[in-house]
Amino acid sequence: DTEYDFVYENTVESRKLEAIKYFMNAGYNLNQSLGMVACLLNVSNLNKTGIEEQTEQNPLGIAGWKNERKLLLKRFSNDWRKFSWQLVFIKYELNSTQAAANIRLKRTDTLEKDSSNSCQRVFGKYYLGFKKDDQFQSVDRLVVGLQTLVGE
């Protein structure tokens, strides 16, 4: 968890499992956890934890935080660059400033492709701000790979 820049593929693979387990331990079911991780993979490949950009408009971290949310991440912990702390920050946001996204996510349990009510599409739209069809199509594909990873 001390690697802040780009990491090797085997580290990315272990981060996928770590994130799924983290979200499940935080009270999300398997499908919700898979949907969340698929979206984070789409944004950062779980690989850009601490790359510092020049302006607040440039995305930062595994969720591509920008502007005020980027500043909140940095204030959240001195360890904000660490992958594990970014997972904690996501949980923090979902229980506070992003509670509306959390409520929507908790109300869904499907990973159905092309469904606007799927876990991955709800998290992508309401937590990460996805708007483009290609983003939703990408997370639909990524969630299938995660299902295979966990043996579903």
Side-chain angles (χ1 to χ4, degrees), residues 1-32:
D1 204 18
T2 58
E3 300 176 54
Y4 303 143
D5 206 345
F6 292 101
V7 295
Y8 295 105
E9 187 62 32
N10 61 342
T11 302
V12 171
E13 291 303 307
S14 68
R15 283 182 174 184
K16 290 176 188 178
L17 292 172
E18 181 183 343
I20 292 165
K21 288 177 188 175
Y22 175 80
F23 290 127
M24 289 183 69
N25 287 334
Y28 297 93
N29 66 36
L30 179 60
N31 284 353
Q32 292 162 344

Side-chain angles (χ1 to χ4, degrees), residues 62-143:
I62 61 172
W65 292 285
K66 297 179 189 175
N67 303 319
E68 184 63 28
R69 289 174 74 189
K70 182 176 178 177
L71 293 173
L72 286 172
L73 168 66
K74 290 179 180 180
R75 290 185 200 135
F76 184 70
S77 169
N78 288 335
D79 290 327
W80 66 267
R81 287 181 177 89
K82 291 184 177 180
F83 177 72
S84 59
W85 275 102
Q86 291 187 24
L87 295 175
V88 172
F89 183 71
I90 291 169
K91 179 183 166 195
Y92 164 78
E93 278 198 316
L94 287 168
N95 287 309
S96 59
T97 59
Q98 301 297 314
N102 194 35
I103 291 167
R104 290 176 186 269
L105 179 61
K106 290 284 196 166
R107 290 182 178 163
T108 187
D109 187 30
T110 182
L111 296 173
E112 186 178 335
K113 181 181 174 187
D114 297 325
S115 170
S116 62
N117 290 323
S118 69
C119 298
Q120 66 273 20
R121 289 184 177 225
V122 167
F123 185 76
K125 180 176 182 177
Y126 295 103
Y127 181 78
L128 296 171
F130 288 2
K131 294 180 177 138
K132 298 178 182 173
D133 284 339
D134 64 327
Q135 291 172 305
F136 294 114
Q137 292 164 0
S138 177
V139 294
D140 283 346
R141 287 189 300 273
L142 287 166
V143 84

